[in-house]
Amino acid sequence: MKTKVLFVCLGNICRSPTAEAVLRKMLQDRGLTHLVDVDSAGTGNWHAGSPPDERAVAAAQARGYDMAGLKARQIEENDYRHFDLILAMDRSNVSHMRRSCTNGTAGKIGLVLEYAQHSPLSEVPDPYYGEGDGFELVLDLLEDACDCLIERICAAPNVKRIGS
Ligand code: 4NP
């Protein structure tokens, strides 16, 4: 059984689609695509149907990650049942999801940086309104977290809870 991972941010145009692209490429490079299904969504719906932010696309592309074809969507009720790990970029995303998730699914929700091993931060800062470097930091943090997430999934392929 594949572990189904959903990355979540606010708009689903900067941080969570970047996480999706990073994890997908790392899985491909390691021959591990059979272990994980990956998707992303936003808690908000303002950008639904839009492609990722072009600054995020450019920063990701420079490191070899492909965000072509991704389109923003808002998280839906069924996502809480369908996915095994629902990994948020910041605490405000976590609070939103804990309020709206279905019964028995709150244990799947946590911060993506719980998986990071080298980060002093616990949240991925929102780069949307900031200057250029924000997107580099997003990539640094998410590369760290995705690397460790893959190790954890390899060690326990049917991981169903944050921290397990
Ligand atoms: P994201 O960034 O949550 O990483 O996709 C944002 C994108 C859009 C907005 C805020 C954050 N916005 O306010 O439109």
Side-chain angles (χ1 to χ4, degrees):
M1 272 262 285
K2 283 185 168 184
T3 299
K4 298 189 271 297
V5 175
L6 181 69
F7 292 112
V8 175
C9 62
L10 177 61
N12 193 211
I13 56 168
C14 297
R15 293 166 292 173
S16 62
T18 299
E20 179 180 348
V22 169
L23 183 58
R24 188 164 283 132
K25 169 108 176 15
M26 285 186 171
L27 290 165
Q28 277 163 1
D29 288 351
R30 297 171 198 196
L32 297 173
T33 52
H34 58 287
L35 280 186
V36 183
D37 272 338
V38 55
D39 196 2
S40 67
T43 56
N45 67 356
W46 312 281
H47 299 281
S50 299
D53 186 288
E54 53 190 38
R55 297 165 295 172
V57 173
Q61 203 164 37
R63 295 196 196 189
Y65 304 114
D66 182 12
M67 292 170 78
L70 298 183
K71 261 196 191 150
R73 71 176 185 90
Q74 187 174 30
I75 190 166
E76 299 170 359
E77 198 179 325
N78 187 50
D79 290 323
Y80 296 107
R81 278 186 290 272
H82 177 77
F83 288 94
D84 302 310
L85 294 175
I86 302 176
L87 302 178
M89 299 297 134
D90 61 40
R91 290 192 174 80
S92 130
N93 310 145
V94 170
S95 312
H96 176 109
M97 292 194 281
R98 293 233 162 104
R99 285 194 306 271
S100 32
C101 68
T102 41
N103 274 351
T105 61
K108 302 172 171 188
I109 299 167
L111 290 167
V112 66
L113 292 189
E114 286 180 41
Y115 288 93
Q117 286 187 317
H118 308 290
S119 169
L121 303 178
S122 57
E123 303 176 284
V124 181
D126 183 347
Y128 187 69
Y129 293 110
E131 299 294 317
D133 270 7
F135 290 88
E136 295 302 325
L137 176 61
V138 166
L139 281 162
D140 291 342
L141 295 170
L142 291 174
E143 284 176 339
D144 180 7
C146 287
D147 189 43
C148 178
L149 176 61
I150 291 173
E151 269 181 38
R152 294 273 280 278
I153 290 173
C154 285
N158 285 315
V159 56
K160 293 284 184 247
R161 284 186 71 84
I162 304 297
S164 58

